[in-house]
Amino acid sequence: MKVVFGSPGTWSGLLLRTGQWVFAGASIGVMLSAFGFSNYTAFCYLIASMGLQALWSLGLACLDIYALRVKRDLHNPLLVSLFVVGDWVTAALSLAAACSSAGVTVLFARDTDFCKAYPQFSCGRYQISTTMAFITWLLVATSSLVMFWILTSA
Amino acid sequence: MKVVFGSPGTWSGLLLRTGQWVFAGASIGVMLSAFGFSNYTAFCYLIASMGLQALWSLGLACLDIYALRVKRDLHNPLLVSLFVVGDWVTAALSLAAACSSAGVTVLFARDTDFCKAYPQFSCGRYQISTTMAFITWLLVATSSLVMFWILTSA
């Protein structure tokens, strides 16, 4: 199996996984600190989805660290197939969460004057959290494509 | 290249493409008939995204009809690669549109009492249109996976 940028068990792979759980964790942190988020299903779903993403990426980052320490090769078809399925599922869930939050955030900030009318609402934090969710999705999408590439070019 | 369910230039492929543009068109139609949709960015984006999806699927359905009439084989790597890229891009856009509309619809119907407070708003139609967008996405996702399968097992 080819070793490309973002392969499991490499420094670039570890970097990509670290980026994913850091941004997912930051997205959760910012949303949790925003006033009134729990009244909106989309924001609660964002936290659940980013939580799942952070756990998945953190797990794979730990596996990368282990592989780097004991110099173990993680490029076997069964393991990469598992990574592909997990990455595609979490990527779809992350995109869904980011988009539903973006829909609600745009509604508050642009379509209605909700943010201006109620300045106690943390519209800025909703936007930052949603942006971080999109960055997380971009990083996971990169991982998904790399994993698929490795699997199919085996 | 393998011929599987949903392959380009087959009756099953034509059925899948027809399902996609019919549901995308129905989603647009229901949303256009809903009062006040144009005030919300998410719903306007749903119409744009479903419009692109309907055009793409209709184009491929016409190509399937042509291939079936002249008994032409569409299984060449260049053409299938083009279908894969188009399907993945439109699938991602459709999922994004469906999720952002779902976020706003759930906000109106469950998180706030907007639908009860303003019965003149067509909340039911927003829900039907969003559901149809999700069905469209499921059908496009099926096509995407089939195309990728055909390409990688070539």
Side-chain angles (χ1 to χ4, degrees):
Chain A
M1 285 187 147
K2 276 186 188 170
V3 175
V4 292
F5 176 87
S7 284
T10 62
W11 285 106
S12 57
L14 178 60
L15 193 76
L16 209 54
R17 294 294 171 193
T18 307
Q20 288 163 19
W21 72 258
V22 166
F23 275 103
S27 175
I28 295 172
V30 173
M31 189 53 87
L32 283 175
S33 73
F35 174 76
F37 79 91
S38 59
N39 297 325
Y40 307 107
T41 309
F43 296 150
C44 295
Y45 172 56
L46 182 86
I47 290 177
S49 178
M50 285 296 119
L52 178 72
Q53 184 63 64
L55 282 176
W56 171 256
S57 296
L58 188 60
L60 292 197
C62 292
L63 195 65
D64 282 344
I65 292 172
Y66 164 77
L68 282 168
R69 286 195 66 167
V70 303
K71 298 193 193 316
R72 174 108 181 247
D73 186 18
L74 295 179
H75 289 73
N76 80 64
L78 192 71
L79 215 53
V80 175
S81 305
L82 182 76
F83 296 158
V84 167
V85 173
D87 272 340
W88 280 104
V89 170
T90 55
L93 292 177
S94 294
L95 179 63
C99 290
S100 55
S101 292
V104 174
T105 306
V106 169
L107 180 86
F108 286 165
R110 280 194 45 197
D111 299 342
T112 59
D113 285 332
F114 194 84
C115 289
K116 281 182 198 152
Y118 303 97
Q120 74 271 29
F121 264 78
S122 323
C123 284
R125 294 192 183 184
Y126 297 158
Q127 288 169 353
I128 294 169
S129 178
T130 305
T131 309
M132 283 176 167
F134 272 111
I135 296 172
T136 306
W137 171 70
L138 277 176
L139 294 172
V140 186
T142 310
S143 276
S144 314
L145 290 174
V146 168
M147 294 296 164
F148 215 107
W149 178 257
I150 293 170
L151 189 69
T152 55
S153 66
Chain B
M1 288 185 145
K2 277 186 187 171
V3 175
V4 292
F5 176 86
S7 284
T10 62
W11 285 105
S12 57
L14 178 60
L15 194 75
L16 209 53
R17 295 294 172 192
T18 307
Q20 288 163 19
W21 73 258
V22 166
F23 275 103
S27 174
I28 296 173
V30 172
M31 188 55 86
L32 283 176
S33 72
F35 175 74
F37 79 91
S38 59
N39 297 326
Y40 307 106
T41 309
F43 296 150
C44 295
Y45 171 56
L46 182 85
I47 289 177
S49 177
M50 285 295 120
L52 179 71
Q53 184 63 63
L55 281 177
W56 169 257
S57 296
L58 188 60
L60 292 196
C62 292
L63 196 64
D64 281 344
I65 292 172
Y66 165 77
L68 283 168
R69 286 195 66 170
V70 303
K71 297 195 192 317
R72 175 108 180 246
D73 186 18
L74 295 179
H75 289 74
N76 81 65
L78 192 73
L79 215 52
V80 175
S81 304
L82 181 77
F83 296 159
V84 167
V85 174
D87 272 341
W88 281 105
V89 171
T90 54
L93 293 177
S94 294
L95 179 63
C99 290
S100 55
S101 292
V104 175
T105 306
V106 169
L107 180 86
F108 286 166
R110 279 195 46 199
D111 300 340
T112 60
D113 286 333
F114 194 84
C115 289
K116 281 182 197 152
Y118 303 97
Q120 74 273 28
F121 265 76
S122 324
C123 283
R125 293 192 184 184
Y126 296 158
Q127 288 170 353
I128 294 169
S129 179
T130 305
T131 308
M132 282 176 170
F134 271 112
I135 296 172
T136 306
W137 171 70
L138 277 176
L139 294 172
V140 186
T142 309
S143 275
S144 314
L145 290 174
V146 168
M147 293 295 164
F148 215 108
W149 178 257
I150 295 171
L151 189 69
T152 55
S153 65

